[in-house]
Every structure is written in structure tokens, then in C-alpha cells.
Amino acid sequence: MLDRDCSSKRTFNENFFHDWRRCMTMREAKLVRCLAKCDFAEINAYYKRKAEERKAMTAEQKQVPQSDNIMSFVSTSSHITKLALRAGNEKEEGRVADTVGCCSLRVEHITLHYQTPDDKFVVQFDFLGKDAVRYVNAVAVDKRVFDNLELFIEDKEPEDDLFDLLSTGTLNKHLNELMEGLTAKVFRTYNASRTFEQELDFLTEGTMTYTKHLHHALCTVNAEL
């Protein structure tokens, strides 16, 4: 973390310290008044160690739910909810294309942009999705999601998994704990059904024939699935 270019930038440090102090208790704020006097060496060593541990994990070990996965759940759930992306980790039989979903995204598939003066946190996606269709999109996200993604990218190579502690199995288990029977696929089916209904309602008042209405709506829903 400390060896990143941004950590030496004055503006970054000022913004970081400003946001950090907003999260402090009154007692902490009285004690911590100068960022330059703070020693983050131990925290930096911890995250580097965790990154190495993640890289050394087997596929089976990554299936085991861990407390650190909560940040992955927050970020992945955001992708599924806002973007209706597939969960991933599953290849259709006979498919050889390098298609991915939320859980199988790699570092190379996203680019993070902090845009000022609007204070927008933007994630840019570029990868092959369902049926090897290229997915290119830029979406504004909550600061919490943006910060989590920065942590997940830390000390990783472009070809490394973005959510290396997460799989469709652990994600679906988490979703099922929130609502019995809920999975990423169930949610995406619901989202596609809603989209189909909205498209039909929107197109009903136009001049298209029924066949064109249906074709347009189905194409839109297929993009969601």
C-alpha cells in the first residue's frame, strides 16, 4: 500500500486524512492530528501478507467463507444489482472463449477513475461476457465499493482474480442467508423479467408492430442475461 504512487501525492494524502478524521471518534481525533506522524508500516505489512496468502490458496480453500469476504460481497452485490452481470466461475459446455462474470473478473477487466470536481467514483469495465459478447461500460459506484476495489487490486498482477476469495458458491450461500432460495441467477432472472415488462410497457405507445415490440424487448432482456 505504501509503495503506491498515490501515497506520495500531497492531494491524495490530504483527502485521505480528511476522510479518515471524519470516521474518527472524538478521542481519536484529538490524538491523531498529523498524517506524517502516523506509522502505517504494520498495516502495510499485514495487507501484503494477506495478498501473498490469497495467491497461495488452493481452489478448495477459496471456497471456504472467511470474514474478509464481506468486502467482496459488498462489491460483487453492487455489480449484480446495478449492472445485472452474471456471477461467473461457470463455463458453458463447449465454450472456449475467455468469458467472465462478477466472481471471475480479473484485475485487467476494470479500471478505477476518481473524477473531480464532482467527486464521482467510476469503475470502467471491459471484458467478454455471455456468448463472448464484449461488455464495455463505465458506472459510478459508492465510495465504499470503490475503496474496496482499490484494496482488491493492491499488489496484484493484471491476470490475477479481482475477487480471489470469492466464488459463486460462497456468494450464493451469502445471498441465501439474506433470503431463502435467493441466488445470483434468481436475482438476474428477476431483473430480466422486470426489464422485459418495462420494455413492453415503454414500447406499447410507439408505432412498432407487435412483432417488433417483442423482438426489441427480447433483445434487451438477452443483454441483461
Side-chain angles (χ1 to χ4, degrees):
M1 297 172 67
L2 297 180
D3 53 1
R4 295 182 61 182
D5 291 339
C6 61
S7 64
S8 62
K9 304 295 184 182
R10 178 181 176 182
T11 301
F12 173 84
N13 287 325
E14 289 177 349
N15 290 337
F16 169 77
F17 194 52
H18 176 266
D19 290 343
W20 184 21
R21 284 183 61 83
R22 290 174 61 185
C23 300
M24 294 179 184
T25 63
M26 292 182 63
R27 181 173 179 275
E28 290 170 340
K30 289 180 179 179
L31 293 174
V32 184
R33 295 178 177 273
C34 178
L35 182 63
K37 295 182 179 180
C38 297
D39 185 1
F40 295 99
E42 187 174 345
I43 297 176
N44 185 58
Y46 169 80
Y47 278 106
K48 283 190 174 182
R49 185 171 66 254
K50 295 295 288 185
E52 291 302 318
E53 290 175 358
R54 286 196 296 268
K55 289 181 180 180
M57 279 184 173
T58 64
E60 290 74 18
Q61 289 173 324
K62 291 180 180 179
Q63 293 284 341
V64 179
Q66 301 180 36
S67 58
D68 288 349
N69 279 358
I70 188 63
M71 292 193 297
S72 297
F73 290 138
V74 171
S75 301
T76 308
S77 298
S78 175
H79 295 338
I80 293 175
T81 303
K82 291 187 176 182
L83 306 177
L85 299 181
R86 292 186 306 153
N89 282 145
E90 300 166 345
K91 292 285 186 181
E92 296 179 33
E93 187 175 352
R95 293 286 184 184
V96 294
D98 184 24
T99 59
V100 298
C102 286
C103 294
S104 52
L105 284 171
R106 297 191 295 273
V107 174
E108 61 188 337
H109 294 140
I110 72 167
T111 305
L112 304 180
H113 301 283
Y114 174 65
Q115 299 180 351
T116 55
D118 298 330
D119 286 337
K120 288 185 178 180
F121 300 92
V122 177
V123 182
Q124 181 176 335
F125 297 89
D126 189 349
F127 60 88
L128 292 182
K130 182 184 178 184
D131 297 327
V133 176
R134 186 181 181 189
Y135 181 91
V136 180
N137 192 15
V139 60
V141 299
D142 295 336
K143 184 178 184 298
R144 182 182 181 187
V145 172
F146 190 89
D147 291 343
N148 287 345
L149 290 174
E150 283 192 316
L151 288 176
F152 298 145
I153 291 174
E154 189 76 44
D155 297 324
K156 289 183 180 178
E157 299 298 325
E159 65 274 13
D160 289 339
D161 289 337
L162 181 63
F163 304 118
D164 49 354
L165 293 179
L166 193 62
S167 68
T168 52
T170 54
L171 174 61
N172 285 331
K173 182 177 180 180
H174 173 71
L175 293 175
N176 189 68
E177 290 174 353
L178 299 178
M179 178 185 292
E180 186 176 357
L182 180 62
T183 65
K185 186 173 183 179
V186 168
F187 179 83
R188 291 184 63 255
T189 301
Y190 162 78
N191 187 74
S193 299
R194 286 274 298 167
T195 301
F196 184 66
E197 180 182 0
Q198 291 168 358
E199 285 296 319
L200 287 179
D201 289 341
F202 176 74
L203 295 171
T204 298
E205 299 178 358
T207 58
M208 290 185 183
T209 64
Y210 174 79
T211 302
K212 288 185 177 180
H213 278 313
L214 186 60
H215 176 72
H216 185 278
L218 287 173
C219 287
T220 303
V221 171
N222 185 59
E224 297 283 351
L225 291 172

